[in-house]
Amino acid sequence: MAPINLNIPASDKTVEVSIIDTTANIQLPADVFFAPEIGGLKQLRAGAYAFLVENKSRDKRVLFDLGVRKDWENLAKPLYDRLKEIFAVTVRKDVSDILTDHSIPLDTIDAIIWSHTHFDHVGDTSTFPPSTSLVVGPGVTAASLPAYPSNPASVLLESDFHGRELVEIAPEQFTLKIGNYPAHDYFGDGSFYLLDVPGHSIGHICGLARTNTAGAAGTDSFILMGADTVHHAGQLRPSEHVPLPSQIAPNPYGGSAPCPGEIFEAIHPSPDKYQTCAFYHIHVREDGSSVAVDPEEAQRSVISMTEFDASPDVLVVFAHDTSLEGVVETFPASANGWKAAGWKETGRWRFLRDWKV
């Protein structure tokens, strides 16, 4: 298959990226997000990754997402009352605590970028000083403000916005197209892009960070902060671009011998396409409802993400990917060396271990 051209503009500028383990542990029914049921997986265990992005040439630091706030019981009461019936959540620290523990002054964080407004991404912005602005995707202001309690229907809190600049990236600011996504050059130097990735929620955006420029390897490398484009790697893989191999190494179940790919044919919902078709799709209930605000659009966004996933130069890290635990190094370590460390190859098929085969 010919290499995919993602049309990422050339640049000699990079950012330093750290993947933050936000200390959240979330338990919930898997069918809230994806279907069908496979291999006995009924309950989903998820963490929540956030990202520290540093543009050192411009002396700028931003955060992409904040995970779950430590005192999540203080979310908007109608939201919390709904969530506690479905989700079991524990959080040890806010992202602000994690940064402070590692001697990063909070007043050096120029902006917090929300991928979207769901509780497991917005964290607690009130723990940051007013000098830290809040950046959101298209349509978020109209959909979410005013916030709770002034607006009892809002999932956001007035304290999320109080005293700080709110910046909404308008549709016309996504002047580029990278892959199949409209893109916005956040710092204006090609080091970090925001991608308009619609469907999961209003204003859902992802981040694409250039972590290395072409050197001996001959190509630039990138980390794609995939937010909630998918909730399990089985929604993304296998694909026509990343087929399931006949011999899977490293073996997701452990041991030195490769795992035969053919054992997954029996549990795949489309056995005749088990090597090239993803195991899961976004769950749409019989009444047409879904966790995705537009499930058809969200599924198209997943298909577009497979092109990035196929590139050897792009590491896709979505927010709740437990298959990357023990593979990626988290903050305070830098993630810029991901390619040389082989994180993509090591983590690609680890999600298969979630199923009894």
Side-chain angles (χ1 to χ4, degrees), residues 30-31 33-42 44 230-238 267-269 277-283 299 302-303 351 354-355:
D31 64 2
F33 294 106
F34 48 79
E37 183 184 319
I38 294 175
L41 181 63
K42 296 178 181 290
L44 183 65
V230 299
H231 291 81
H232 189 280
Q235 293 175 260
L236 194 64
R237 303 179 199 116
I267 66 168
H268 198 286
C277 183
F279 287 88
Y280 289 129
H281 58 78
I282 294 166
H283 190 194
Q299 195 62 49
V302 174
I303 298 303
F351 71 90
D354 288 350
W355 304 318

Side-chain angles (χ1 to χ4, degrees), residues 206-252:
C206 294
L208 180 67
R210 193 184 309 265
T211 50
N212 283 288
T213 54
T219 56
D220 293 2
S221 64
F222 302 84
I223 291 177
L224 198 160
M225 303 159 197
D228 275 4
T229 309
V230 299
H231 291 81
H232 189 280
Q235 293 175 260
L236 194 64
R237 303 179 199 116
S239 68
E240 291 184 355
H241 307 299
V242 184
L244 186 73
S246 58
Q247 296 293 314
I248 303 166
N251 188 323

Side-chain angles (χ1 to χ4, degrees), residues 159-242:
S159 60
D160 292 329
F161 306 93
H162 181 72
R164 73 183 68 253
E165 181 185 17
L166 175 63
V167 179
E168 181 174 310
I169 309 297
E172 57 268 21
Q173 291 178 269
F174 291 86
T175 56
L176 304 169
K177 191 166 187 179
I178 298 178
N180 284 314
Y181 302 130
H184 168 66
D185 188 347
Y186 184 80
F187 291 118
D189 62 1
S191 64
F192 183 56
Y193 302 95
L194 297 180
L195 308 180
D196 184 6
V197 182
H200 176 66
S201 69
I202 294 173
H204 185 267
I205 55 178
C206 294
L208 180 67
R210 193 184 309 265
T211 50
N212 283 288
T213 54
T219 56
D220 293 2
S221 64
F222 302 84
I223 291 177
L224 198 160
M225 303 159 197
D228 275 4
T229 309
V230 299
H231 291 81
H232 189 280
Q235 293 175 260
L236 194 64
R237 303 179 199 116
S239 68
E240 291 184 355
H241 307 299
V242 184

Side-chain angles (χ1 to χ4, degrees), residues 9-299:
S11 174
D12 61 354
K13 302 299 184 184
T14 63
V15 286
E16 191 79 19
V17 177
S18 287
I19 304 169
I20 302 173
D21 175 358
T22 65
T23 74
N25 187 300
I26 308 167
Q27 308 273 347
L28 71 157
D31 64 2
V32 169
F33 294 106
F34 48 79
E37 183 184 319
I38 294 175
L41 181 63
K42 296 178 181 290
Q43 282 291 119
L44 183 65
R45 180 188 68 82
Y49 288 131
F51 301 84
L52 176 64
V53 180
E54 299 183 78
N55 186 320
K56 294 183 177 180
S57 66
R58 300 204 169 203
D59 195 27
K60 296 289 185 181
R61 278 176 170 159
V62 301
L63 289 164
F64 187 86
D65 277 344
L66 293 179
V68 186
R69 62 187 294 149
K70 181 170 56 180
D71 60 341
W72 76 291
E73 67 276 6
N74 288 328
L75 290 165
K77 188 176 186 306
L79 173 64
Y80 175 70
D81 288 344
R82 293 197 305 271
L83 291 173
K84 70 180 181 180
E85 298 300 319
I86 305 171
F87 292 75
V89 180
T90 59
V91 188
R92 299 194 311 276
K93 294 183 177 183
D94 287 316
V95 167
S96 56
D97 299 328
I98 295 170
L99 296 178
T100 301
D101 288 348
H102 291 89
S103 302
I104 293 186
L106 299 184
D107 60 6
T108 66
I109 304 299
D110 296 280
I112 296 163
I113 302 169
W114 280 348
S115 66
H116 61 298
T117 57
H118 289 171
F119 83 102
D120 49 341
H121 296 261
V122 299
D124 187 356
T125 58
S126 72
T127 60
F128 289 83
S131 57
T132 303
S133 61
L134 179 60
V135 178
V136 297
V140 167
T141 303
S144 304
L145 296 182
Y148 184 87
S150 297
N151 176 10
S154 179
V155 299
L156 300 176
L157 297 168
E158 290 176 341
S159 60
D160 292 329
F161 306 93
H162 181 72
R164 73 183 68 253
E165 181 185 17
L166 175 63
V167 179
E168 181 174 310
I169 309 297
E172 57 268 21
Q173 291 178 269
F174 291 86
T175 56
L176 304 169
K177 191 166 187 179
I178 298 178
N180 284 314
Y181 302 130
H184 168 66
D185 188 347
Y186 184 80
F187 291 118
D189 62 1
S191 64
F192 183 56
Y193 302 95
L194 297 180
L195 308 180
D196 184 6
V197 182
H200 176 66
S201 69
I202 294 173
H204 185 267
I205 55 178
C206 294
L208 180 67
R210 193 184 309 265
T211 50
N212 283 288
T213 54
T219 56
D220 293 2
S221 64
F222 302 84
I223 291 177
L224 198 160
M225 303 159 197
D228 275 4
T229 309
V230 299
H231 291 81
H232 189 280
Q235 293 175 260
L236 194 64
R237 303 179 199 116
S239 68
E240 291 184 355
H241 307 299
V242 184
L244 186 73
S246 58
Q247 296 293 314
I248 303 166
N251 188 323
Y253 296 104
S256 58
C259 173
E262 64 184 5
I263 68 173
F264 297 99
E265 181 178 6
I267 66 168
H268 198 286
S270 301
D272 58 323
K273 297 185 288 186
Y274 81 96
Q275 288 184 291
T276 57
C277 183
F279 287 88
Y280 289 129
H281 58 78
I282 294 166
H283 190 194
V284 180
R285 303 176 189 91
E286 290 184 2
D287 63 1
S289 64
S290 173
V291 72
V293 67
D294 185 337
E296 290 186 4
E297 187 74 73
Q299 195 62 49

